[in-house]
Amino acid sequence: MPANGLHLLPMASSHRGGLSEACVQCSEGKKMVLFVTGLCRFRCFYCPVSSRRNQIDATYANERLVTCDADVLDEARSIGAAGTGITGGDPLGMIDRTEHYVRLLKEEFGPSHHIHLYTHEPNAEKLQRLARAGLDEFRLHIPHYLWGPLAADGGAYRSVLTEAPSWGIRRGVEIPVLPEKEAELVRLLQALDEIGVDFVNLNELEFSETNEEKLHDRGYELDPSNGWGVRGSRAVAQRVVKESRLSIPVHYCSSRFKDSVQLRMRLHRRAERTRPPFAETTSDGTLVFGVVPAPPGRDVARWAERIARRYRLGPKSYRVDFGRRRLELGAERLRRLAPTLGAPAFAVEEYPTADALEVEREPLNREAFAGFTAGGT
Ligand code: SF4
């Protein structure tokens, strides 16, 4: 409940003043994440981009590798996206590609499809280009060594943030909270208040597989009571939001909010739209169903047809995944069939995402494993 202008959100997140429309859509799982490129010239020591994507020039729509425009549009439809967040790497480093996607999404889904973008580059010319293409909002990532009054070297950031309203676009600042820089952060917020930016988003600094070593080298520690959060980051952010007497909206987004709320909601939306009728959705938004891998060397279609006939499987009660060479059906049904199947069977839990990441695999008939050969069922 709002208390003295302070709004508390789940997972220790909070805000003072209104939330950006992009943040609202994100918390409801309605934003597609369009990762335009892994390339970025800034190389922040805390960069969380995964090693699979970091400094690699590939585009992903959520977890889907993009090979053509249809991949982007299909992924947006698969979560019923109301908007898109463009990220990277630095999307301004690939300005032609970024502008192309802004235009593509607006043409396909109309002007109400809300698009926001993250960048480290205070480049007025590129941002104006994107504003003309239909970009609704940008969030500047101001480097920590420029936090403070945004004078001298911070001047380029100040001028972009000052000029942006005349380009017809909303502008905010989004930065991770480095716990030892509280004084500089408070001074920066005062400068942003003077400019009158539309909002400031503070993210919890967190460990990831890619930044772990660098964060440890700089003396940061894990907060043992707080997932992957860096000790002190949450406390500083919460204090700043609680005590700030600014006229601009300030929002603190915790790392657990991103995982437990934003991601979970997006998984549920994708599961609702894409899951096969025989799969069950868990409270985390993952899918549970049964799988029977095809024996090596067998024609998958004919093998699956034989099983379907033998066990009288109706057309909606199973499907064949030709890419992964396997038959899929309801987990409970397979549990009942498994003892007579003569081939290994599993109940699996997977993300309902394009990469279908497997979380867990439970064998249903261990006795079938020993005797299973290429000549099985
Ligand atoms: S600007 Fe973003 S993508 Fe680039 S290095 Fe910094 S955190 Fe990573």
Side-chain angles (χ1 to χ4, degrees):
M1 286 295 290
N4 199 20
L6 179 69
H7 300 246
L8 301 178
L9 296 171
M11 303 297 154
S13 288
S14 55
H15 64 104
R16 198 181 266 285
L19 274 184
S20 141
E21 186 180 346
C23 290
V24 173
Q25 289 184 353
C26 199
S27 68
E28 295 170 343
K30 293 179 181 168
K31 272 264 170 189
M32 176 173 73
V33 180
L34 183 60
F35 181 94
V36 168
T37 177
L39 300 180
C40 178
R41 64 191 169 91
F42 292 99
R43 316 228 172 199
C44 307
F45 72 85
Y46 48 75
C47 182
V49 175
S50 74
S51 52
R52 212 161 38 89
R53 297 187 183 189
N54 199 359
Q55 300 301 342
I56 293 168
D57 187 22
T59 301
Y60 290 84
N62 291 333
E63 293 76 15
R64 182 190 298 222
L65 179 66
V66 172
T67 57
C68 60
D69 288 350
D71 289 337
V72 175
L73 301 177
D74 283 353
E75 184 60 29
R77 286 190 197 100
S78 72
I79 62 161
T84 296
I86 299 181
T87 181
D90 200 316
L92 290 202
M94 287 289 171
I95 183 65
D96 292 344
R97 190 184 300 171
T98 300
E99 181 179 358
H100 168 75
Y101 285 131
V102 171
R103 290 190 186 280
L104 176 77
L105 289 161
K106 287 287 186 181
E107 272 164 26
E108 185 68 21
F109 300 116
S112 66
H113 187 87
H114 186 276
I115 307 180
H116 74 282
L117 165 142
Y118 301 87
T119 183
H120 210 322
E121 188 180 328
N123 187 315
E125 195 189 322
K126 290 180 182 176
L127 287 167
Q128 282 181 75
R129 236 178 102 175
L130 296 177
R132 284 195 296 273
L135 184 70
D136 296 287
E137 173 188 302
F138 68 85
R139 299 167 173 213
L140 274 187
H141 178 167
I142 301 177
H144 61 95
Y145 47 84
L146 295 179
W147 292 5
L150 281 188
D153 289 346
Y157 289 90
R158 177 181 279 273
S159 76
V160 160
L161 291 168
T162 305
E163 288 172 34
S166 67
W167 313 332
I169 188 168
R170 277 171 57 86
R171 79 297 196 217
V173 167
E174 179 151 337
I175 45 179
V177 176
L178 310 187
E180 77 285 9
K181 292 219 148 219
E182 184 170 356
E184 293 89 334
L185 174 60
V186 169
R187 187 67 196 89
L188 173 66
L189 290 174
Q190 286 164 353
L192 296 173
D193 199 40
E194 285 155 25
I195 295 167
V197 299
D198 294 297
F199 62 91
V200 175
N201 267 20
L202 303 174
N203 290 324
E204 183 170 24
L205 183 62
E206 58 179 329
F207 280 90
S208 72
E209 43 145 349
T210 33
N211 70 17
E212 187 179 2
E213 216 177 301
K214 289 182 190 149
L215 291 190
H216 278 307
D217 287 351
R218 288 176 178 248
Y220 294 105
E221 291 171 6
L222 202 61
D223 179 346
S225 63
N226 188 29
W228 297 107
V230 165
R231 190 193 292 274
S233 180
R234 175 170 67 173
V236 169
Q238 287 179 325
R239 189 157 53 237
V240 166
V241 174
K242 193 166 173 210
E243 295 174 5
S244 79
R245 292 291 171 265
L246 306 170
S247 55
I248 53 171
V250 183
H251 170 208
Y252 163 57
C253 190
S254 71
S255 67
R256 283 190 301 142
F257 188 88
K258 291 183 203 305
D259 285 345
S260 308
V261 180
Q262 294 173 355
L263 177 62
R264 193 165 57 86
M265 295 301 280
R266 178 160 67 78
L267 293 180
H268 272 286
R269 290 178 69 82
R270 202 173 199 284
E272 265 168 40
R273 288 165 176 77
T274 62
R275 78 176 173 90
F278 52 78
E280 289 160 34
T281 310
T282 68
S283 58
D284 289 336
T286 52
L287 297 179
V288 173
F289 52 93
V291 302
V292 187
R298 295 285 285 272
D299 178 312
V300 182
R302 288 176 56 191
W303 164 83
E305 205 185 308
R306 263 190 56 198
I307 295 185
R309 254 204 326 268
R310 177 175 162 199
Y311 290 103
R312 298 174 196 276
L313 302 178
K316 287 195 175 160
S317 63
Y318 79 100
R319 75 177 178 189
V320 183
D321 183 334
F322 289 97
R324 290 198 276 180
R325 294 182 51 84
R326 67 188 197 180
L327 180 76
E328 300 174 348
L329 66 162
E332 286 316 308
R333 182 136 194 212
L334 184 56
R335 201 179 289 280
R336 289 195 299 275
L337 305 182
T340 60
L341 199 60
F346 307 87
V348 298
E349 180 181 350
E350 286 186 0
Y351 278 85
T353 47
D355 60 358
L357 186 68
E358 190 173 298
V359 184
E360 211 176 319
R361 169 171 285 232
E362 178 200 350
L364 298 180
N365 53 357
R366 285 191 189 280
E367 67 284 356
F369 285 57
F372 183 66
T373 64
T377 294

